[in-house]
Structure formats: structure tokens, C-alpha cells
Amino acid sequence: MGEHLQHAPSTSTSGRDVWPAPHAESARHAARRSTGKGRMSEERALEKVRNIGIMAHIDAGKTTLTERVLFYTGRVRRMGEVHDGTAVMDWMDQERERGITITSAATTCYWLDHRVNIIDTPGHVDFTMEVERSLRVLDGAVAVFDGVAGVEAQSETVWKQADKYHVPRIAFINKMDRVGADFGNSMKMMVDRLGANPVAIQIPIGSGDTFEGVIDLVRMKSIRFDPESYGAKFTEGDVPESMAAEAEELRSRLVESVVESVESLAEKYVHGEPLSEDEIVAATRQATLDARVVPVLGGSALRNIGVQGVMDAIVRYLPSPNDVPPVTGMNPYTEKEEERRAAKDAPTAALAFKIASDSYVGRLTYVRVYSGRIEKGKQLLNPRTEKKERIGRILLMHANRQEDRDEAVAGEIVAVVGPRATGTGDTLCDPKKPIALEPMLFPDPVVSIAIEPKTKADEDKLVGTLDRLSEEDPTFVTRTDEETGQTIVSGMGELHLEVLITRMVRDFGVKANVGKPMVAYRETVTKPSEARGQYIRQSGGKGHYGDVRIRMEPLETGAGVEIGHAVRDGELPREFIEAAREGIRSALENGVLAAYPVIDVKVTVLGGTYHDVDSSEMSFRAAGSMAVREAVKKGNPILLEPVLDVEVVVPEQYVGEVLADLAARGGRIETTQMRSDARVIDATVPLGKTFGYATALRSLTQGRGLYTTQFSHYAEVPRDEQQKILESWGWI
């Protein structure tokens, strides 16, 4: 049924062909915008390109929304469903088995003669890195909220990430067909928890069992969707009389919120002159680009209600590459900041934001082209490695399927085959006009496990596989324990590591023994100290001589690491100072107490002595490292553990048991509040005490409890536990 209805224009009550847009369109135009026929040439104007991401808390309906978008735009001929494992964007086996998005997937579709590049991002906190690197290269985003739950924990995380990169957003309040859905409360939570300024451009007609459509506040029309056509057909009508007053009030609030973006419209509004639909759209667009408002729509992606409105809003209100400022970067040779504008004739600058392995084409490097063009067969410079990379193929991606292209121009997101030494966050640029764009920073992993090959034959395969997985995922880190010789892998959570280990076994055929999860602690000091590191060796010939004095001071939580020097002129050669700082940095990264990184400290090289013959950079690196070890021991060192924000949603009858269990895990209850017919508990819990919590919560609530976590901060490990950890490492 869906296959012959997907391209049909919708029918209004007047009998003419119509889509929910602020201007009339012919049936031919409406069908074309659904199928993508009549696409623009390769010289398409940048203002008709949208690079957007779909972001939200887990299970808010991101992937379902994306699947509907692909159907209505003609990109697919059948709607995929997350719950039955047929979603196009969740193409990995594990995504379909688990019913969650694990890796961001890119696709391209066409709507209203615009090309829309979409990245569907994960909602689980363990894969927040996928959201981070996607938002880094996107121009706009659609934030999806559960109409019952409203703003949830991971919603706040991804919203802050979008704030960090100044990404304009629209919001879609999904699942309005569920019992307990509350459009107004979800908007209020956007204000209270996100600090946003949401303005409704659509409101739902009813909710739960009575939900039947939406009201377009710009055109003041009701839109009801035909379930028999999977929402492709709908009827328009007047605003229901029972909702007329509410719609008028919200429309006035919309206009009042956006008119100040356009001076001429503000003047008309002040004088009481009516504004046309086009004028309201223009003002809303400018206010969205300025991040002063967030346009909000409502609907139900699963029931195919309101999805076309989201696509209209993407085209109307989210930015094109022309609407964002020119990208800036550093010329690696002059060390001066330069700009690159989004133009095909500008020098090429592209950012690699993701590395992936494909069983057919090999290594894929996803890039956002910010300026100029990438051409097949041409070479581009990687400023970090100072090497040229040849572009063998250019692929337009649709989940795990590809379409070959001869070139990609400014404003496009594509995958390229050919670069071997380019990693996540690297720049590819014109060798004659080099520029290094701002690199991408990722959080440190917080959970570790030991892993070892089952047989000698698996040993080399394990090393190669771990290298490939860490290349794809910068938050998956591997190291070798010097004491035990074990391979330690670290990630962002239990699920993160579980998924990667499963990939290692299934996709790469590696057989290995896997240990239990371990907390990735950190070390710091609590008082200032000074220390001296001396590396003096004599072996009959040329010796080794390095002598460094340092001061170490504690910094506030979250400050990171600072390494500077206050060496008097002439006391030490510059190259020895820099070598000492390298040794200090290495020692801090490798840890002192129990081989965990030292954080939140400031280290200053005060001075030292050197020998005209025996001193070398190697000697001063060793001396710097030795000085750090001594300074940490003198600085009253402590261990820090990661603490998580935990949100638990449980039926009221299980609240007592859940609260008691959290307290037993060292949790601190922050708030409890009602949400629909369930209680929401917000708490902070040490990461180590959350291992196995999913099983425990299911047992306590007969499978009805849900929880999410996200990293909050590092806190001192209780003294008795710290004693046991240090004893196990043989330090005390």
C-alpha cells in the first residue's frame, strides 16, 4: 500500500492538491519534492543545502522520525521500523538486535527543491561521542523529545553539545499519541532544564487517544493525516473552535518573539499592522539563526503525523552553509589564523569527522567540505601529518550504501576512500593554501576491562583489530599494563565496551578472554610540593645528565593540567626545558600511584643544571618524569573516581526499594518528582557502584524500571577503598 501512495500529493477539503506549506504548490511540484525528481544540478546554490542532525535522548523516536522522512521524500519505498529491526538508518546487526542507534548514520534526501543531508545520531550516553563529532560538522539540528517524558537526561547532554558548537535548532515533541503526553509541559521543561526559548509553530489537536492532527500557527490551519496512506494524504481545515483562543494566543506569542529579528517587521507589529505568512516565516528563520528562539512542532512519528511539517521547518528555519560564519583555522606555516568561506572557488578545506570500516570499499573517511572542492584522483594535504593523501573515491552515503561522485563541493558531507593516515579531527586542504581547522576534543574513557587472546594465533589479530576499532572511535583507548602485560581497553561505559567487544568477535573473528569492568580512576594532589629529578648515568663513555626542579600545585576540579616554566634566562637551554616538559607530561599521563592519569594539577619547571657533554633531551625527559613522581608523593596524593548523574524512572510502588538500593550503592539522591504516572529519581552514584545496575533494577521493579546515566564529575575515593586499591598496586 505504502509503495503506490508515497508519491501521491495530499488532498485538502477543497479538492486541490496541497502540502502543509505557507504557499500553494502544484501537484507536480508536490510530487517532485517527495520523490527527489527534478533535482538541482551539481551547481546547486548553497542556500538550497541543509546539513542537519537528529538528536535526542534514547527512545525518544529519532530513528523513527528519520525513517518517515526518508519515506516521504522518496528515498526509500518502505518505512523501516526500529522495533522490528528494519530501520534503514540502524543498519548494524547490533543496532537491530538491541533496538538502539550505536553509530551515527548519514543520508541525503530532497524536499522543496532543497538537498537535505541528515545524520541520525545515537541517544545512549555511552555513544555521546558520535553526537559530538556530528554536531561539529552540522549547520542545524532537530531535537526530538518524548511527549510524555519531556526533557530527559541525555536530552540535556546533546543540547549542551549543540550550544557548544552554536548549532541552531528546531524541536519536535514526539509521541503525542501516548497516554500522558503533554505538549505544554514539554515546552516548559525546555525552558526550565535547557534554558531555551521555545516558540510553538504547530500545536497538537488533542493528545493520547484523542490525538488526531496538528494546527499550523503560521497559516492558522488544522491538518489531519490519513492513516490509510501512511500519512502521505491529509486534509486541511479551519482551526477547531474549541482551540481557537489557544491558537490565537500562541500565534501572537510566536509573532512577538520573532519580529524583533527584522527591524521593518518590528515596526509594523508595534503599529498593529498585520504580518503576512511569508513575513512571519522570514522573521522566525532569522530568530532561529540568531539562536534567540527554538521553533517547536508536535506529532507522532510512529503514527505518521506531523513529519512533513518537520521537513518544511528544516528547509524554512535551519541554516544553509551560507548562513553560518566562515570556518577559521591556523596556517601551519605562518601560525596565523585564516578563514575559509563556503564557496566552490575558495581554497579547499575539509574536516574528517569519522573513520569507518566497510567490508567492500575498505577504510572510509567521512568529511565535511567547508570550502572549495574535493575531486576524485586529486591529492590533499593533511597538515597534522604533513603528508599528502590521494582521494581515490568520493561517496555520497545512505546509511551503509554508497553512491559514487566525481567531486564534492563546499557545504557537502561525503565519505572518501584513499586517505590512510588521516584520523578523526584532521583537516584535508589545498596543499598550496594550507590550513588546519580546529581539532575535535573527546572525553576521557571511564570504564576499563582486561582482554587477552585465547590462542597465540589470535594475538596478532587482536592487536590489529583493537587498532582499527580505536581508529574508528577516539573514546575507545587501548594500552598495555606494564606490571601484568595485559591489554587494557577503556571506553565510555559498560554498553560501549560490550558493543565493541561483540564487534571484535563477530566482525573481525577474534577469540579472546574478557575480564570484568574496572573503574578508570584518576590521581591528583591536595597540597603544593617541590621536587627534584636527577637522571645521572655513567657508562665509561659519554654519560647521561639531566637535573630538573619543579613545583606542583593542585587546581580546582575539572581544570585539567597546566605545564609551564619559570626558568631564569641562561640557566637551562630551551631544548632541555621543552624535553623536561615532555617528560612531565608523559609521567602525568601514565600516573604515579596506580598508573592512572594525574589531573587537575599545575606543574612549573623552576630550573636545573646541565652538563656540556653528557646532557641530552632524553636525559631531561627522564629527569622531568622522575621529578613528577617525587612531587606527587610529597603532595598528599589521592585517587579520584568518576561519579555519574543517574536518572531512574519507576512506578510509584517500587520507589522505596529503588531509593534503598541507590543509597546502598553510595548514591546521593538529588530530587524526586512525578512524571505522568511514574516517579523520576535523580541521583549521583559512583561509577563503580553502577556495574550490573540494569539487572538489579529489573529485579527490583519486575522489569518496569528504566534508568539512564551520564558522567558528572570526579570525586575523591573514600579512604578505606583507596587504601585497598593502592595496596593492590603495591604502593603502600
Side-chain angles (χ1 to χ4, degrees):
M1 184 177 186
E3 293 188 4
H4 74 270
L5 286 171
Q6 61 172 320
H7 305 321
S10 303
T11 2
S12 72
T13 51
S14 63
R16 67 179 175 87
D17 296 317
V18 66
W19 289 85
H23 55 278
E25 294 180 283
S26 67
R28 183 180 178 185
H29 186 185
R32 184 168 75 240
R33 91 168 172 170
S34 179
T35 63
K37 294 176 181 177
R39 296 174 183 172
M40 294 168 287
S41 69
E42 291 302 317
E43 297 295 328
R44 66 174 60 87
L46 278 177
E47 61 265 18
K48 288 187 177 283
V49 173
R50 299 290 182 270
N51 294 310
I52 64 109
I54 312 290
M55 63 183 201
H57 185 91
I58 190 170
D59 202 33
K62 299 177 309 301
T63 301
T64 301
L65 175 64
T66 308
E67 294 295 319
R68 270 50 178 176
V69 167
L70 298 180
F71 176 76
Y72 293 131
T73 58
R75 197 67 174 83
V76 298
R77 298 184 63 81
R78 184 180 297 277
M79 289 183 186
E81 301 291 357
V82 174
H83 56 266
D84 62 16
T86 58
V88 173
M89 300 301 278
D90 284 350
W91 57 270
M92 292 175 61
D93 290 340
Q94 288 197 72
E95 291 178 315
R96 295 182 170 181
E97 292 166 3
R98 298 172 186 269
I100 62 172
T101 301
I102 292 171
T103 182
S104 54
T107 191
T108 297
C109 57
Y110 299 85
W111 189 256
L112 279 174
D113 283 339
H114 285 63
R115 174 176 167 179
V116 183
N117 299 316
I118 301 175
I119 295 182
D120 177 31
T121 64
H124 196 287
V125 67
D126 281 17
F127 309 104
T128 191
M129 180 274 300
E130 289 283 340
V131 184
E132 179 88 14
R133 60 182 174 186
S134 296
L135 287 171
R136 171 70 169 80
V137 298
L138 293 171
D139 300 323
V142 179
V144 181
F145 300 99
D146 184 317
V148 178
V151 177
E152 300 172 90
Q154 183 65 358
S155 304
E156 294 186 63
T157 301
V158 297
W159 195 271
K160 290 174 183 175
Q161 289 172 315
D163 283 341
K164 174 181 175 181
Y165 294 115
H166 310 291
V167 178
R169 278 143 278 178
I170 62 174
F172 179 61
I173 298 178
N174 192 25
K175 303 189 179 183
M176 289 305 303
D177 59 318
R178 287 184 55 198
V179 175
D182 190 328
F183 186 85
N185 183 60
S186 294
M187 288 188 62
K188 183 178 183 298
M189 292 180 73
M190 290 177 66
V191 176
D192 296 341
R193 298 187 67 168
L194 304 178
N197 181 23
V199 293
I201 58 174
Q202 282 186 1
I203 57 173
I205 302 173
S207 65
D209 294 338
T210 64
F211 179 57
E212 57 184 73
V214 298
I215 295 173
D216 184 334
L217 295 178
V218 177
R219 296 184 304 134
M220 290 301 281
K221 293 287 185 182
S222 66
I223 307 166
R224 290 176 169 84
F225 296 81
D226 172 29
E228 294 300 319
S229 67
Y230 301 110
K233 290 184 178 181
F234 54 84
T235 55
E236 285 191 340
D238 295 330
V239 175
E241 192 173 330
S242 61
M243 297 186 67
E246 178 188 0
E248 285 290 351
E249 180 186 347
L250 290 174
R251 188 178 196 271
S252 297
R253 189 180 302 170
L254 163 65
V255 174
E256 187 175 329
S257 299
V258 302
V259 289
E260 64 184 74
S261 301
V262 183
E263 187 176 339
S264 59
L265 299 184
E267 192 172 331
K268 285 182 68 174
Y269 179 73
V270 169
H271 289 89
E273 298 178 37
L275 302 183
S276 70
E277 293 168 9
D278 286 344
E279 286 174 327
I280 295 174
V281 168
T284 305
R285 174 178 177 77
Q286 191 57 55
T288 305
L289 299 185
D290 294 341
R292 291 194 301 102
V293 303
V294 179
V296 183
L297 306 92
S300 169
L302 188 63
R303 283 182 53 193
N304 315 309
I305 297 177
V307 177
Q308 293 97 322
V310 175
M311 289 300 293
D312 288 343
I314 288 170
V315 167
R316 293 193 187 103
Y317 305 124
L318 292 182
S320 73
N322 278 343
D323 294 316
V324 297
V327 68
T328 60
M330 191 71 68
N331 185 311
Y333 302 122
T334 66
E335 295 189 354
K336 292 182 179 178
E337 188 174 86
E338 295 183 6
E339 288 187 347
R340 292 290 184 269
R341 59 189 178 88
K344 189 175 180 180
D345 59 355
T348 299
L351 183 73
F353 67 95
K354 180 175 178 175
I355 308 299
S357 297
D358 185 276
S359 55
Y360 296 104
V361 299
R363 189 180 192 267
L364 287 174
T365 304
Y366 285 77
V367 299
R368 160 69 188 266
V369 185
Y370 282 101
S371 65
R373 68 177 78 184
I374 292 178
E375 296 176 278
K376 188 168 67 173
K378 296 295 180 68
Q379 288 190 326
L380 294 174
L381 174 69
N382 182 334
R384 180 182 65 84
T385 62
E386 298 184 346
K387 294 180 179 179
K388 292 181 180 179
E389 299 269 32
R390 183 180 179 276
I391 307 300
R393 293 175 68 185
I394 300 173
L395 304 171
L396 192 62
M397 301 300 295
H398 177 51
N400 63 331
R401 301 198 296 273
Q402 306 101 16
E403 174 186 325
D404 274 280
R405 298 278 298 279
D406 290 328
E407 72 169 10
V409 300
E412 294 193 305
I413 294 175
V414 296
V416 297
V417 180
R420 306 303 306 170
T422 295
T424 301
D426 283 353
T427 302
L428 291 172
C429 63
D430 186 336
K432 296 179 181 178
K433 298 282 187 178
I435 189 172
L437 304 179
E438 183 181 352
M440 304 169 73
L441 302 176
F442 300 106
D444 293 331
V446 294
V447 179
S448 301
I449 56 175
I451 186 169
E452 59 183 25
K454 283 191 174 181
T455 66
K456 189 69 176 176
D458 287 310
E459 190 169 336
D460 291 339
K461 191 185 292 187
L462 174 65
V463 173
T465 298
L466 293 179
D467 286 345
R468 287 182 66 178
L469 291 174
S470 59
E471 182 183 53
E472 292 181 23
D473 186 344
T475 59
F476 180 64
V477 178
T478 67
R479 66 178 176 87
T480 301
D481 188 308
E482 294 181 1
E483 296 283 333
T484 64
Q486 285 182 307
T487 298
I488 307 295
V489 296
S490 304
M492 301 307 297
E494 285 185 276
L495 179 61
H496 184 210
L497 290 178
E498 184 182 325
V499 165
L500 289 169
I501 295 301
T502 301
R503 279 196 66 196
M504 183 187 75
V505 174
R506 284 189 188 176
D507 300 348
F508 298 97
V510 178
K511 296 178 181 178
N513 296 316
V514 180
K516 293 181 179 180
M518 303 177 291
V519 178
Y521 295 100
R522 295 291 183 267
E523 305 173 11
T524 194
V525 297
T526 57
K527 69 177 184 180
S529 65
E530 292 190 6
R532 188 170 197 162
Q534 292 181 306
Y535 185 75
I536 303 173
R537 302 286 188 276
Q538 293 295 331
S539 56
K542 180 182 177 181
H544 300 284
Y545 186 95
D547 175 25
V548 175
R549 290 180 291 109
I550 67 170
R551 179 173 61 245
M552 181 177 290
E553 305 164 78
L555 296 177
E556 62 183 17
T557 301
V561 172
E562 297 178 20
I563 304 174
H565 80 88
V567 181
R568 296 193 306 269
D569 288 345
E571 185 174 349
L572 286 175
R574 182 179 179 84
E575 61 268 25
F576 292 166
I577 297 174
E578 291 306 311
R581 292 173 66 180
E582 288 178 20
I584 290 167
R585 183 175 294 104
S586 176
L588 293 176
E589 290 173 351
N590 291 318
V592 175
L593 292 181
Y596 296 113
V598 181
I599 63 171
D600 299 336
V601 295
K602 178 181 179 180
V603 182
T604 306
V605 180
L606 301 176
T609 60
Y610 68 101
H611 189 278
D612 289 337
V613 176
D614 291 347
S615 289
S616 65
E617 292 181 24
M618 185 277 287
S619 299
F620 273 85
R621 277 194 292 270
S625 178
M626 293 168 69
V628 164
R629 297 186 65 82
E630 187 64 26
V632 168
K633 293 175 182 178
K634 289 182 176 179
N636 191 20
I638 59 172
L639 282 181
L640 303 175
E641 64 182 342
V643 176
L644 304 182
D645 285 328
V646 179
E647 181 182 88
V648 188
V649 183
V650 294
E652 184 68 25
Q653 63 263 42
Y654 303 113
V655 169
E657 292 92 331
V658 171
L659 289 175
D661 182 69
L662 288 172
R665 295 172 183 271
R668 175 179 173 181
I669 308 303
E670 302 291 338
T671 62
T672 65
Q673 55 187 314
M674 292 302 297
R675 181 188 296 166
S676 187
D677 59 347
R679 182 74 71 92
V680 180
I681 303 168
D682 290 312
T684 56
V685 185
L687 169 67
K689 301 297 178 63
T690 66
F691 293 154
Y693 186 60
T695 301
L697 184 63
R698 280 196 296 270
S699 175
L700 289 170
T701 64
Q702 297 184 16
R704 298 173 64 190
L706 301 171
Y707 84 102
T708 56
T709 65
Q710 60 180 329
F711 173 76
S712 175
H713 62 280
Y714 282 98
E716 183 177 353
V717 176
R719 288 290 178 175
D720 56 338
E721 292 184 27
Q722 186 167 276
Q723 184 88 0
K724 294 176 183 177
I725 295 168
L726 296 181
E727 285 176 354
S728 70
W729 280 84
W731 195 78
I732 56 174

